[in-house]
Amino acid sequence: MNHVLQLVRDILESEKMSAEMQLQLNKICELEDTFVKGFSKEKWKEYFDLDIEKGQLHNLEIDHVIELTFKICFDIFNQRNQ
């Protein structure tokens, strides 16, 4: 399973963003810039730490979706070949 996860991650990293994804990223960056304006050095560190942890959760969610999708496809393949 780890090979499948790594393969999907590698493919995702090499793909270009869609226009829709780029627009959403731009919106997030603009909102974030407004939100953090005036943060102290300590608040920046706290915010950065929070962002890292949210990223870790997002990665776990993606891994779970990939694993479920792989399992479903594997089960369908096995059912058809019985």
Side-chain angles (χ1 to χ4, degrees), residues 6-22:
Q6 190 59 49
L7 175 64
V8 172
R9 284 188 199 122
D10 291 346
I11 291 170
L12 287 172
E13 286 178 10
S14 66
E15 283 189 341
K16 290 185 178 184
M17 268 194 221
S18 69
E20 182 180 19
M21 288 176 68
Q22 186 62 54

Side-chain angles (χ1 to χ4, degrees), residues 22-57:
Q22 186 62 54
L23 284 173
Q24 188 63 34
L25 179 59
N26 290 345
K27 287 179 190 177
I28 290 170
C29 289
E30 288 174 12
L31 289 169
E32 185 177 49
D33 287 346
T34 301
F35 179 75
V36 299
K37 189 182 278 186
F39 268 22
S40 67
K41 191 174 185 177
E42 183 60 31
K43 278 294 176 194
W44 261 109
K45 183 186 176 326
E46 291 174 13
Y47 183 71
F48 185 69
D49 291 344
L50 172 63
D51 202 44
I52 289 172
E53 294 304 321
K54 287 177 8 185
Q56 286 296 102
L57 176 60

